[in-house]
Amino acid sequence: VTVWYWTLSFGRSSCFWMSATTRRHRSRWNPTGCRRSGMKDRGIELSRTPSVMPPDDLILSRVCALAVCVACLVNPLAAYALSRYQLAGTYNILLILMATVAFPPMVTLIPNFIVLREAHLLNTFVALVLPFAANGYLIFLLKCFFDSLPRELYEAAAIDGASELRIFWQITMSLSKPILAVVALDAFNAAYTMFLYALIVCPRPDMWVQTVWLSQFQTRAPMGAVFASVLVMCIPTPLI
């Protein structure tokens, strides 16, 4: 309770500070792309700032939607295979999956860039969605959850003649809604907040997501406009 109290207090204070900063600097910002320099005694001077292309909201929306769908499909399939069938190398597979958590995402940026470049997928929509296709930690988490499901349900479905795909969809996925919500939240958060990877694989301005656009926008806009953009971008995360 104490942690939640201080978290909400800090978030509320941060939002209030950004809103106050936005209102305070609003008088210096001209929506036409001009920035007003602070010369109170000698009038107002307008200095042209390099224009920044507005971000394409559909790109981030499609990336988040597909990231959630792909993560909730590929990861459960891999975890179901490890849980349903006792493979000879299951322990080694899980060890490799968990070993990926020990490396920060920055370590795989260069290999991912080289692979995407050789596949001619740079500056494409597919390059933004591929990183969310599989996650070692989520597969391990799902596998542990699938192991806790009663085996009698699978045996009864097999006796009734249900196929493996039907068992997966109607039994495993139906009973795994809580853990699938965790997978969906993790995929959405990763897709919505990705910055460095998106900047490297999609440097073209028309493929910028909001985080990349905001990093370029803050170099050309006053503080009030930057804080207003940050405040708007923070809204979807607590809502989800």
Coordinates of all heavy atoms in Angstrom, one line a residue, residues 106-182:
M106 N 20.3 -4.2 -25.8 CA 21.3 -3.5 -26.6 C 22.3 -4.5 -27.2 O 22.9 -4.2 -28.2 CB 22.0 -2.5 -25.8 CG 21.1 -1.3 -25.5 SD 19.8 -1.6 -24.3 CE 20.8 -1.8 -22.8
V107 N 22.5 -5.6 -26.6 CA 23.5 -6.6 -27.1 C 23.0 -7.2 -28.5 O 23.9 -7.4 -29.3 CB 23.7 -7.7 -26.1 CG1 24.6 -8.8 -26.6 CG2 24.3 -7.1 -24.8
T108 N 21.7 -7.3 -28.7 CA 21.2 -7.9 -29.9 C 20.9 -6.9 -31.0 O 20.4 -7.3 -32.0 CB 20.0 -8.8 -29.6 OG1 19.0 -7.9 -29.0 CG2 20.3 -9.9 -28.6
L109 N 21.1 -5.6 -30.7 CA 20.8 -4.6 -31.7 C 21.5 -4.8 -33.0 O 21.0 -4.8 -34.1 CB 21.0 -3.2 -31.1 CG 19.9 -2.7 -30.2 CD1 20.3 -1.3 -29.7 CD2 18.5 -2.7 -30.8
I110 N 22.9 -4.9 -32.9 CA 23.7 -5.1 -34.1 C 23.4 -6.4 -34.9 O 23.2 -6.3 -36.1 CB 25.2 -4.9 -33.7 CG1 25.5 -3.5 -33.2 CG2 26.1 -5.2 -35.0 CD1 26.9 -3.3 -32.8
P111 N 23.3 -7.5 -34.2 CA 22.9 -8.7 -35.0 C 21.6 -8.6 -35.6 O 21.4 -9.1 -36.8 CB 22.9 -9.8 -33.9 CG 23.9 -9.3 -32.9 CD 23.7 -7.9 -32.8
N112 N 20.6 -8.1 -34.9 CA 19.3 -7.9 -35.5 C 19.3 -7.0 -36.7 O 18.7 -7.2 -37.7 CB 18.3 -7.3 -34.5 CG 17.9 -8.3 -33.4 OD1 18.0 -9.5 -33.7 ND2 17.5 -7.9 -32.3
F113 N 20.1 -5.9 -36.6 CA 20.2 -5.0 -37.7 C 20.9 -5.6 -38.9 O 20.4 -5.4 -40.1 CB 21.1 -3.8 -37.3 CG 21.4 -2.8 -38.4 CD1 20.4 -1.9 -38.8 CD2 22.6 -2.8 -39.1 CE1 20.7 -1.0 -39.8 CE2 22.9 -2.0 -40.1 CZ 21.9 -1.0 -40.5
I114 N 21.9 -6.5 -38.7 CA 22.6 -7.1 -39.8 C 21.6 -8.1 -40.5 O 21.5 -8.2 -41.7 CB 23.8 -7.8 -39.3 CG1 24.9 -6.8 -38.9 CG2 24.5 -8.7 -40.4 CD1 26.1 -7.4 -38.2
V115 N 20.9 -8.9 -39.7 CA 19.9 -9.9 -40.2 C 18.8 -9.2 -41.1 O 18.5 -9.6 -42.2 CB 19.3 -10.7 -39.1 CG1 18.2 -11.6 -39.6 CG2 20.4 -11.6 -38.5
L116 N 18.3 -8.1 -40.5 CA 17.2 -7.4 -41.2 C 17.8 -6.7 -42.5 O 17.1 -6.6 -43.5 CB 16.6 -6.3 -40.3 CG 15.8 -6.9 -39.1 CD1 15.4 -5.7 -38.2 CD2 14.6 -7.7 -39.6
R117 N 19.0 -6.2 -42.4 CA 19.6 -5.6 -43.6 C 19.8 -6.6 -44.7 O 19.6 -6.4 -45.9 CB 20.9 -5.0 -43.3 CG 21.6 -4.2 -44.4 CD 23.0 -3.7 -44.0 NE 23.8 -4.9 -43.7 CZ 25.1 -4.7 -43.3 NH1 25.6 -3.5 -43.1 NH2 25.8 -5.8 -43.0
E118 N 20.3 -7.8 -44.4 CA 20.5 -8.9 -45.4 C 19.2 -9.4 -45.9 O 19.1 -9.8 -47.1 CB 21.3 -10.0 -44.7 CG 22.7 -9.7 -44.3 CD 23.6 -9.2 -45.5 OE1 23.4 -9.8 -46.6 OE2 24.4 -8.4 -45.3
A119 N 18.1 -9.3 -45.1 CA 16.8 -9.7 -45.6 C 16.0 -8.6 -46.3 O 14.9 -8.8 -46.7 CB 16.0 -10.3 -44.4
H120 N 16.7 -7.4 -46.4 CA 16.0 -6.3 -47.0 C 14.7 -5.9 -46.3 O 13.7 -5.6 -47.0 CB 15.8 -6.5 -48.5 CG 17.0 -6.9 -49.3 ND1 18.0 -6.0 -49.6 CD2 17.4 -8.1 -49.7 CE1 19.0 -6.7 -50.3 NE2 18.6 -7.9 -50.4
L121 N 14.8 -5.9 -45.0 CA 13.6 -5.5 -44.2 C 13.7 -4.2 -43.4 O 12.8 -3.9 -42.6 CB 13.2 -6.7 -43.2 CG 12.8 -8.0 -43.8 CD1 12.6 -9.0 -42.8 CD2 11.5 -7.8 -44.6
L122 N 14.8 -3.5 -43.7 CA 14.9 -2.2 -43.0 C 13.9 -1.2 -43.5 O 13.5 -1.2 -44.7 CB 16.4 -1.6 -43.2 CG 17.5 -2.4 -42.6 CD1 18.8 -1.8 -42.9 CD2 17.3 -2.6 -41.1
N123 N 13.4 -0.3 -42.6 CA 12.4 0.7 -42.9 C 11.1 0.0 -43.4 O 10.4 0.5 -44.3 CB 12.9 1.6 -44.0 CG 14.0 2.5 -43.5 OD1 13.9 3.1 -42.4 ND2 15.1 2.6 -44.2
T124 N 10.8 -1.1 -42.8 CA 9.5 -1.8 -43.2 C 8.7 -2.0 -41.9 O 9.3 -2.0 -40.8 CB 9.8 -3.2 -43.8 OG1 10.6 -4.0 -43.0 CG2 10.5 -3.0 -45.1
F125 N 7.5 -2.3 -42.1 CA 6.6 -2.5 -40.9 C 6.9 -3.9 -40.3 O 6.7 -4.0 -39.0 CB 5.1 -2.5 -41.4 CG 4.1 -2.6 -40.3 CD1 3.9 -1.6 -39.4 CD2 3.4 -3.8 -40.1 CE1 3.0 -1.7 -38.4 CE2 2.5 -3.9 -39.1 CZ 2.3 -2.9 -38.3
V126 N 7.4 -4.8 -41.0 CA 7.7 -6.1 -40.5 C 8.8 -6.1 -39.5 O 8.9 -6.8 -38.5 CB 8.0 -7.1 -41.6 CG1 8.4 -8.5 -41.1 CG2 6.9 -7.2 -42.6
A127 N 9.8 -5.2 -39.8 CA 11.0 -5.0 -38.9 C 10.6 -4.6 -37.5 O 11.2 -4.9 -36.5 CB 12.0 -4.1 -39.5
L128 N 9.5 -3.8 -37.4 CA 9.0 -3.3 -36.1 C 8.3 -4.3 -35.3 O 8.2 -4.2 -34.1 CB 8.1 -2.1 -36.3 CG 8.8 -0.8 -36.9 CD1 7.8 0.3 -37.1 CD2 9.9 -0.3 -36.0
V129 N 7.7 -5.4 -36.0 CA 6.9 -6.4 -35.3 C 7.7 -7.6 -35.0 O 7.4 -8.3 -34.0 CB 5.7 -6.7 -36.2 CG1 4.8 -7.7 -35.5 CG2 4.9 -5.5 -36.5
L130 N 8.7 -7.9 -35.7 CA 9.5 -9.2 -35.5 C 10.0 -9.4 -34.1 O 10.0 -10.5 -33.6 CB 10.6 -9.3 -36.5 CG 10.2 -9.8 -37.9 CD1 11.5 -9.8 -38.8 CD2 9.6 -11.2 -37.8
P131 N 10.5 -8.3 -33.4 CA 11.1 -8.6 -32.1 C 10.1 -9.1 -31.1 O 10.5 -9.7 -30.0 CB 11.6 -7.2 -31.6 CG 11.8 -6.4 -32.9 CD 10.7 -6.9 -33.8
F132 N 8.8 -9.0 -31.3 CA 7.8 -9.4 -30.3 C 7.2 -10.7 -30.7 O 6.2 -11.2 -30.0 CB 6.7 -8.3 -30.3 CG 7.2 -6.9 -30.1 CD1 7.2 -6.1 -31.2 CD2 7.6 -6.5 -28.9 CE1 7.7 -4.8 -31.1 CE2 8.1 -5.2 -28.8 CZ 8.2 -4.3 -29.8
A133 N 7.8 -11.4 -31.7 CA 7.2 -12.7 -32.1 C 7.5 -13.8 -31.0 O 6.6 -14.6 -30.8 CB 7.9 -13.2 -33.4
A134 N 8.6 -13.7 -30.3 CA 8.9 -14.7 -29.3 C 9.8 -14.1 -28.2 O 10.6 -13.1 -28.5 CB 9.7 -15.9 -29.9
N135 N 9.5 -14.5 -27.0 CA 10.3 -14.0 -25.8 C 10.6 -15.2 -24.9 O 9.7 -15.9 -24.5 CB 9.5 -13.0 -25.1 CG 10.2 -12.3 -23.9 OD1 10.4 -12.9 -22.9 ND2 10.6 -11.1 -24.1
G136 N 11.9 -15.4 -24.6 CA 12.3 -16.5 -23.8 C 11.7 -16.6 -22.4 O 11.2 -17.6 -21.9
Y137 N 11.6 -15.4 -21.8 CA 11.0 -15.4 -20.4 C 9.5 -15.7 -20.5 O 9.0 -16.4 -19.6 CB 11.3 -14.0 -19.8 CG 10.6 -13.8 -18.5 CD1 11.1 -14.5 -17.4 CD2 9.5 -13.0 -18.4 CE1 10.4 -14.3 -16.1 CE2 8.9 -12.8 -17.2 CZ 9.3 -13.5 -16.0 OH 8.7 -13.3 -14.8
L138 N 8.8 -15.1 -21.5 CA 7.4 -15.4 -21.5 C 7.1 -16.8 -21.8 O 6.1 -17.4 -21.3 CB 6.7 -14.5 -22.6 CG 6.8 -13.0 -22.3 CD1 6.1 -12.2 -23.4 CD2 6.0 -12.7 -21.0
I139 N 7.9 -17.5 -22.7 CA 7.7 -18.9 -22.9 C 7.9 -19.7 -21.7 O 7.2 -20.6 -21.4 CB 8.7 -19.3 -24.1 CG1 8.3 -18.7 -25.4 CG2 8.7 -20.9 -24.2 CD1 9.3 -19.0 -26.5
F140 N 8.9 -19.4 -20.9 CA 9.2 -20.1 -19.6 C 8.0 -19.8 -18.7 O 7.6 -20.8 -18.0 CB 10.5 -19.6 -19.0 CG 10.8 -20.1 -17.7 CD1 11.3 -21.4 -17.5 CD2 10.5 -19.4 -16.5 CE1 11.5 -21.9 -16.2 CE2 10.8 -19.9 -15.3 CZ 11.3 -21.1 -15.1
L141 N 7.5 -18.6 -18.6 CA 6.4 -18.3 -17.7 C 5.1 -19.1 -18.2 O 4.4 -19.6 -17.3 CB 6.1 -16.8 -17.8 CG 5.3 -16.2 -16.7 CD1 6.0 -16.3 -15.3 CD2 5.0 -14.7 -16.9
L142 N 4.8 -19.1 -19.4 CA 3.7 -19.9 -19.9 C 3.8 -21.4 -19.7 O 2.8 -22.1 -19.4 CB 3.5 -19.6 -21.4 CG 2.9 -18.2 -21.7 CD1 3.1 -17.9 -23.2 CD2 1.5 -18.1 -21.4
K143 N 5.0 -21.9 -19.9 CA 5.3 -23.3 -19.7 C 5.0 -23.7 -18.3 O 4.4 -24.7 -18.0 CB 6.7 -23.6 -20.1 CG 7.0 -25.1 -20.3 CD 7.6 -25.7 -19.1 CE 7.9 -27.2 -19.3 NZ 8.3 -27.9 -18.1
C144 N 5.4 -22.9 -17.3 CA 5.2 -23.2 -15.9 C 3.7 -23.1 -15.6 O 3.2 -23.9 -14.8 CB 5.9 -22.2 -15.0 SG 7.7 -22.3 -15.1
F145 N 3.0 -22.2 -16.2 CA 1.5 -22.1 -16.0 C 0.8 -23.3 -16.6 O -0.1 -23.9 -16.0 CB 1.0 -20.8 -16.6 CG -0.5 -20.6 -16.3 CD1 -0.9 -20.0 -15.2 CD2 -1.5 -21.0 -17.2 CE1 -2.3 -19.8 -14.9 CE2 -2.8 -20.8 -17.0 CZ -3.2 -20.2 -15.8
F146 N 1.2 -23.7 -17.8 CA 0.6 -24.9 -18.5 C 0.8 -26.2 -17.7 O 0.0 -27.1 -17.7 CB 1.1 -25.0 -19.9 CG 0.7 -23.9 -20.8 CD1 1.3 -23.7 -22.0 CD2 -0.4 -23.1 -20.5 CE1 0.9 -22.7 -22.9 CE2 -0.8 -22.0 -21.3 CZ -0.1 -21.8 -22.5
D147 N 2.0 -26.3 -17.0 CA 2.2 -27.5 -16.2 C 1.3 -27.6 -15.1 O 1.1 -28.7 -14.6 CB 3.7 -27.4 -15.7 CG 4.7 -27.6 -16.8 OD1 4.3 -28.1 -17.9 OD2 5.9 -27.3 -16.6
S148 N 0.7 -26.5 -14.6 CA -0.2 -26.5 -13.5 C -1.6 -26.9 -13.9 O -2.5 -27.2 -13.0 CB -0.2 -25.2 -12.8 OG -0.8 -24.1 -13.6
L149 N -1.9 -26.9 -15.1 CA -3.3 -27.3 -15.6 C -3.5 -28.8 -15.4 O -2.6 -29.6 -15.6 CB -3.5 -27.0 -17.0 CG -3.4 -25.5 -17.4 CD1 -3.6 -25.3 -18.9 CD2 -4.4 -24.7 -16.6
P150 N -4.7 -29.2 -15.0 CA -4.9 -30.7 -14.7 C -4.8 -31.5 -16.0 O -5.4 -31.2 -17.1 CB -6.4 -30.7 -14.2 CG -7.0 -29.4 -14.6 CD -5.9 -28.4 -14.7
R151 N -4.1 -32.6 -15.9 CA -3.9 -33.5 -17.1 C -5.1 -34.3 -17.4 O -5.3 -34.8 -18.5 CB -2.7 -34.5 -16.8 CG -1.4 -33.8 -16.6 CD -0.9 -33.2 -17.9 NE 0.2 -32.3 -17.8 CZ 0.8 -31.7 -18.8 NH1 0.3 -31.7 -20.0 NH2 1.8 -30.9 -18.6
E152 N -6.0 -34.4 -16.5 CA -7.3 -35.1 -16.8 C -8.1 -34.5 -17.9 O -8.8 -35.2 -18.6 CB -8.1 -35.2 -15.5 CG -7.5 -36.1 -14.4 CD -6.4 -35.4 -13.6 OE1 -6.2 -34.2 -13.9 OE2 -5.8 -36.1 -12.8
L153 N -8.0 -33.2 -18.0 CA -8.7 -32.5 -19.1 C -8.2 -32.9 -20.4 O -9.0 -33.1 -21.4 CB -8.6 -31.0 -18.9 CG -9.3 -30.4 -17.6 CD1 -9.0 -28.9 -17.5 CD2 -10.8 -30.6 -17.6
Y154 N -6.9 -33.0 -20.5 CA -6.3 -33.4 -21.8 C -6.7 -34.8 -22.1 O -6.9 -35.2 -23.3 CB -4.8 -33.2 -21.8 CG -4.3 -31.8 -21.6 CD1 -3.7 -31.4 -20.4 CD2 -4.5 -30.8 -22.6 CE1 -3.2 -30.1 -20.3 CE2 -4.1 -29.5 -22.4 CZ -3.5 -29.2 -21.3 OH -3.1 -27.9 -21.1
E155 N -6.6 -35.7 -21.1 CA -7.0 -37.1 -21.4 C -8.4 -37.3 -21.8 O -8.7 -38.1 -22.7 CB -6.7 -37.9 -20.1 CG -5.2 -37.9 -19.7 CD -4.9 -38.6 -18.4 OE1 -5.9 -39.0 -17.7 OE2 -3.8 -38.7 -18.0
A156 N -9.3 -36.5 -21.1 CA -10.7 -36.6 -21.5 C -11.0 -36.1 -22.9 O -11.8 -36.7 -23.6 CB -11.6 -35.8 -20.5
A157 N -10.3 -35.0 -23.3 CA -10.5 -34.5 -24.6 C -9.9 -35.4 -25.7 O -10.5 -35.6 -26.7 CB -9.7 -33.1 -24.7
A158 N -8.8 -36.1 -25.3 CA -8.2 -37.1 -26.3 C -9.2 -38.3 -26.4 O -9.3 -38.8 -27.5 CB -6.9 -37.5 -25.8
I159 N -9.8 -38.7 -25.3 CA -10.7 -39.8 -25.4 C -12.0 -39.5 -26.3 O -12.5 -40.3 -27.1 CB -11.2 -40.3 -24.0 CG1 -10.0 -40.9 -23.3 CG2 -12.3 -41.2 -24.1 CD1 -10.3 -41.2 -21.8
D160 N -12.4 -38.2 -26.2 CA -13.5 -37.7 -27.0 C -13.2 -37.5 -28.4 O -14.0 -37.2 -29.2 CB -14.1 -36.4 -26.4 CG -14.8 -36.7 -25.1 OD1 -15.1 -37.8 -24.8 OD2 -14.9 -35.7 -24.3
G161 N -11.9 -37.7 -28.8 CA -11.5 -37.5 -30.2 C -11.1 -36.1 -30.6 O -11.0 -35.8 -31.8
A162 N -10.8 -35.2 -29.7 CA -10.4 -33.9 -30.0 C -9.0 -33.9 -30.5 O -8.1 -34.6 -30.0 CB -10.5 -33.0 -28.8
S163 N -8.7 -33.1 -31.5 CA -7.4 -33.0 -32.1 C -6.5 -32.1 -31.2 O -7.0 -31.5 -30.3 CB -7.5 -32.3 -33.5 OG -8.0 -31.0 -33.4
E164 N -5.2 -32.2 -31.4 CA -4.3 -31.4 -30.6 C -4.5 -29.9 -30.7 O -4.4 -29.2 -29.7 CB -2.9 -31.8 -31.0 CG -1.8 -31.5 -29.9 CD -2.0 -32.4 -28.7 OE1 -2.2 -33.6 -28.9 OE2 -1.9 -31.8 -27.6
L165 N -4.9 -29.5 -31.9 CA -5.1 -28.0 -32.1 C -6.4 -27.6 -31.3 O -6.4 -26.5 -30.7 CB -5.2 -27.7 -33.6 CG -5.4 -26.2 -33.9 CD1 -4.2 -25.4 -33.5 CD2 -5.6 -26.1 -35.4
R166 N -7.4 -28.5 -31.3 CA -8.6 -28.1 -30.6 C -8.4 -28.1 -29.1 O -8.9 -27.3 -28.4 CB -9.7 -29.1 -31.0 CG -11.1 -28.8 -30.4 CD -12.1 -29.7 -30.9 NE -13.4 -29.4 -30.3 CZ -14.6 -30.1 -30.5 NH1 -14.5 -31.1 -31.3 NH2 -15.7 -29.7 -30.0
I167 N -7.6 -29.1 -28.6 CA -7.2 -29.1 -27.2 C -6.5 -27.8 -26.8 O -6.8 -27.3 -25.7 CB -6.4 -30.4 -26.9 CG1 -7.2 -31.6 -27.1 CG2 -5.8 -30.3 -25.5 CD1 -6.4 -32.9 -26.9
F168 N -5.6 -27.4 -27.7 CA -4.8 -26.2 -27.4 C -5.8 -25.0 -27.3 O -5.7 -24.2 -26.4 CB -3.8 -26.0 -28.4 CG -3.1 -24.6 -28.4 CD1 -2.1 -24.4 -27.4 CD2 -3.4 -23.6 -29.3 CE1 -1.5 -23.2 -27.3 CE2 -2.7 -22.4 -29.2 CZ -1.8 -22.2 -28.2
W169 N -6.7 -24.8 -28.3 CA -7.5 -23.6 -28.3 C -8.6 -23.7 -27.3 O -8.9 -22.7 -26.6 CB -8.1 -23.5 -29.7 CG -7.2 -22.9 -30.7 CD1 -6.7 -23.5 -31.8 CD2 -6.7 -21.6 -30.7 NE1 -5.8 -22.7 -32.5 CE2 -5.9 -21.5 -31.9 CE3 -6.9 -20.4 -29.9 CZ2 -5.2 -20.3 -32.2 CZ3 -6.2 -19.3 -30.3 CH2 -5.4 -19.2 -31.4
Q170 N -9.3 -24.8 -27.1 CA -10.5 -24.8 -26.3 C -10.2 -25.1 -24.8 O -11.0 -24.8 -24.0 CB -11.5 -25.8 -26.8 CG -12.1 -25.4 -28.2 CD -13.2 -26.3 -28.6 OE1 -13.5 -27.3 -27.9 NE2 -13.9 -26.0 -29.7
I171 N -9.1 -25.7 -24.5 CA -8.8 -26.1 -23.1 C -7.7 -25.2 -22.6 O -7.8 -24.4 -21.6 CB -8.4 -27.6 -23.0 CG1 -9.6 -28.4 -23.4 CG2 -8.0 -27.9 -21.6 CD1 -9.4 -29.9 -23.3
T172 N -6.5 -25.3 -23.2 CA -5.3 -24.6 -22.7 C -5.5 -23.1 -22.8 O -5.3 -22.4 -21.8 CB -4.1 -25.0 -23.5 OG1 -4.0 -26.4 -23.5 CG2 -2.9 -24.3 -22.9
M173 N -5.9 -22.5 -23.9 CA -6.1 -21.1 -24.1 C -7.2 -20.6 -23.3 O -7.2 -19.4 -22.8 CB -6.2 -20.7 -25.5 CG -5.0 -21.1 -26.4 SD -3.6 -20.1 -26.0 CE -3.9 -18.6 -26.8
S174 N -8.3 -21.4 -23.1 CA -9.4 -20.9 -22.3 C -9.1 -20.8 -20.9 O -9.6 -19.9 -20.2 CB -10.6 -21.9 -22.5 OG -11.0 -21.9 -23.9
L175 N -8.3 -21.7 -20.4 CA -7.9 -21.6 -18.9 C -6.7 -20.7 -18.7 O -6.3 -20.6 -17.5 CB -7.6 -23.1 -18.5 CG -8.7 -24.1 -18.5 CD1 -8.2 -25.4 -18.1 CD2 -9.8 -23.6 -17.6
S176 N -6.1 -20.1 -19.7 CA -4.9 -19.3 -19.5 C -5.1 -17.9 -19.7 O -4.2 -17.1 -20.1 CB -3.8 -19.8 -20.5 OG -3.6 -21.2 -20.4
K177 N -6.3 -17.4 -19.5 CA -6.6 -16.0 -19.7 C -5.8 -15.1 -18.8 O -5.3 -14.0 -19.2 CB -8.1 -15.7 -19.6 CG -8.9 -16.3 -20.7 CD -10.4 -16.1 -20.5 CE -11.2 -16.7 -21.6 NZ -12.7 -16.6 -21.5
P178 N -5.6 -15.4 -17.5 CA -4.8 -14.5 -16.7 C -3.4 -14.4 -17.1 O -2.8 -13.2 -17.2 CB -4.9 -15.2 -15.3 CG -6.1 -16.0 -15.3 CD -6.2 -16.5 -16.7
I179 N -2.7 -15.5 -17.5 CA -1.3 -15.4 -17.9 C -1.2 -14.8 -19.3 O -0.2 -14.1 -19.7 CB -0.7 -16.8 -17.9 CG1 0.8 -16.7 -18.0 CG2 -1.2 -17.7 -19.0 CD1 1.5 -16.0 -16.8
L180 N -2.3 -15.0 -20.2 CA -2.3 -14.3 -21.5 C -2.4 -12.8 -21.3 O -1.9 -12.0 -22.2 CB -3.4 -14.9 -22.3 CG -3.2 -16.3 -22.8 CD1 -4.5 -16.7 -23.6 CD2 -2.0 -16.4 -23.7
A181 N -3.1 -12.3 -20.3 CA -3.2 -10.9 -20.0 C -1.8 -10.3 -19.7 O -1.4 -9.2 -20.1 CB -4.2 -10.6 -18.9
V182 N -1.0 -11.1 -18.9 CA 0.3 -10.7 -18.6 C 1.2 -10.6 -19.8 O 2.0 -9.7 -20.0 CB 1.0 -11.7 -17.6 CG1 2.4 -11.3 -17.3 CG2 0.2 -11.6 -16.3

